[in-house]
Amino acid sequence: MRSAADFNRLYLERRDPWGTDRATRRDRGLAKVIPPHVEGKTVLELGCGEGHLTATIFSKASWVTGVDISAVAILRASERRLPNATFVDQDFMGMSFEGRDVIAALECIYYLSLEEREAFFRKLAKEHRGTFIMSAPIIGGKYFTHEELLETFNRYGLGLINWRNVYAYRRPGVGGLAASVAARVPLVRDAVVALWPERFMCHRAYVVRCG
Ligand SMILES: C[S@@+](CC[C@H](N)C(=O)[O-])C[C@H]1O[C@@H](n2cnc3c(N)ncnc32)[C@H](O)[C@@H]1O
């Protein structure tokens, strides 16, 4: 796991280090899968960063507790003064997962080591009764593959409700060029992202039932 100091350094180097405020393609993809599962619900948003998704994708939740290991990110998230959210700087592995309708972990679990990921899913299965939503690059390596994730959900007795491709990754080469061109045409873009072969995929979101 990367430390609070590692993440604080990234956030101090520049605001919005991953460009999430400008990631409109990602927002559009996430908006197609997440809001129906969070409207009117209490949400624990793990790795919330500066609160971009709290303010957009989770805006219809009844209450969001955003948690991030970086105090710098949490200060900036708090400055948004969202009416339905509070923010806490803490390592999410050290906090209780009990008592929320939804736990969301968008683009943050892959910072955990393989052993820590196992501990994360064990803790989730033990403590959470409700919906779990995650998104991540599905490109293997230090990230995930679709099969690995399905096997992990299965092993911890978590029931897959649905999954969706969020957007196609623009890799170099012919596939990347095609994705790049297709991404500029709204109707084609959605069809391409839905059918894109896994080796070109970047982000996929999963909705899972726990307990
Ligand atoms: C790539 S950013 C994603 C931010 C946000 N979820 C999004 O998708 O826009 C990853 C965030 O996870 C946070 N993070 C990583 N490991 C964490 C941990 N163990 N506990 C709390 N936050 C963590 C980092 O500080 C960082 O803000």
Side-chain angles (χ1 to χ4, degrees):
M1 180 170 64
R2 291 211 214 163
S3 68
D6 293 332
F7 285 109
N8 278 334
R9 198 171 315 114
L10 278 172
Y11 279 107
L12 285 171
E13 272 166 21
R14 59 190 156 115
R15 293 185 87 94
D16 193 13
W18 291 277
T20 52
D21 281 342
R22 300 183 307 280
T24 49
R25 271 191 314 151
R26 182 179 78 133
D27 284 357
R28 276 196 301 268
L30 292 174
K32 290 198 170 119
V33 62
I34 297 178
H37 297 281
V38 303
E39 189 164 347
K41 303 276 188 332
T42 55
V43 177
L44 179 63
E45 186 192 353
L46 309 179
C48 65
E50 295 168 341
H52 170 76
L53 295 176
T54 326
T56 53
I57 299 301
F58 298 111
S59 63
K60 297 273 170 43
S62 64
W63 192 255
V64 184
T65 305
V67 185
D68 203 283
I69 201 166
S70 162
V72 179
I74 286 297
L75 181 65
R76 292 176 189 162
S78 306
E79 283 168 359
R80 291 181 187 263
R81 307 207 184 292
L82 300 177
N84 68 334
T86 187
F87 295 97
V88 184
D89 77 275
Q90 196 177 333
D91 173 356
F92 58 66
M93 291 301 287
M95 70 188 306
S96 169
F97 285 1
E98 290 176 358
R100 271 46 172 240
D101 299 318
V102 178
I103 295 187
L106 304 180
E107 302 208 39
C108 56
I109 306 176
Y110 48 79
Y111 291 106
L112 303 175
S113 68
L114 292 183
E115 294 74 33
E116 289 165 341
R117 285 183 205 182
E118 287 301 316
F120 173 85
F121 282 106
R122 205 176 310 123
K123 179 175 169 60
L124 186 72
K126 187 171 166 214
E127 297 181 10
H128 182 46
R129 299 285 167 269
T131 307
F132 171 61
I133 301 171
M134 66 169 283
S135 75
I138 303 299
I139 52 175
K142 67 170 181 155
Y143 298 98
F144 296 98
T145 67
H146 187 67
E147 287 67 34
E148 269 164 21
L149 272 173
L150 297 193
E151 190 276 322
T152 303
F153 297 153
N154 204 26
R155 193 151 31 86
Y156 288 102
L158 312 176
L160 183 66
I161 297 172
N162 99 44
W163 61 266
R164 190 180 193 284
N165 293 331
V166 173
Y167 68 87
Y169 185 44
R170 298 181 200 186
R171 289 188 167 183
V174 177
L177 182 65
S180 187
V181 171
R184 289 178 166 75
V185 186
L187 285 175
V188 178
R189 179 186 55 222
D190 284 351
V192 166
V193 169
L195 300 171
W196 206 239
E198 187 153 306
R199 66 185 183 283
F200 294 127
M201 278 315 301
C202 186
H203 281 92
R204 195 167 274 180
Y206 296 82
V207 182
V208 175
R209 166 123 315 256
C210 304

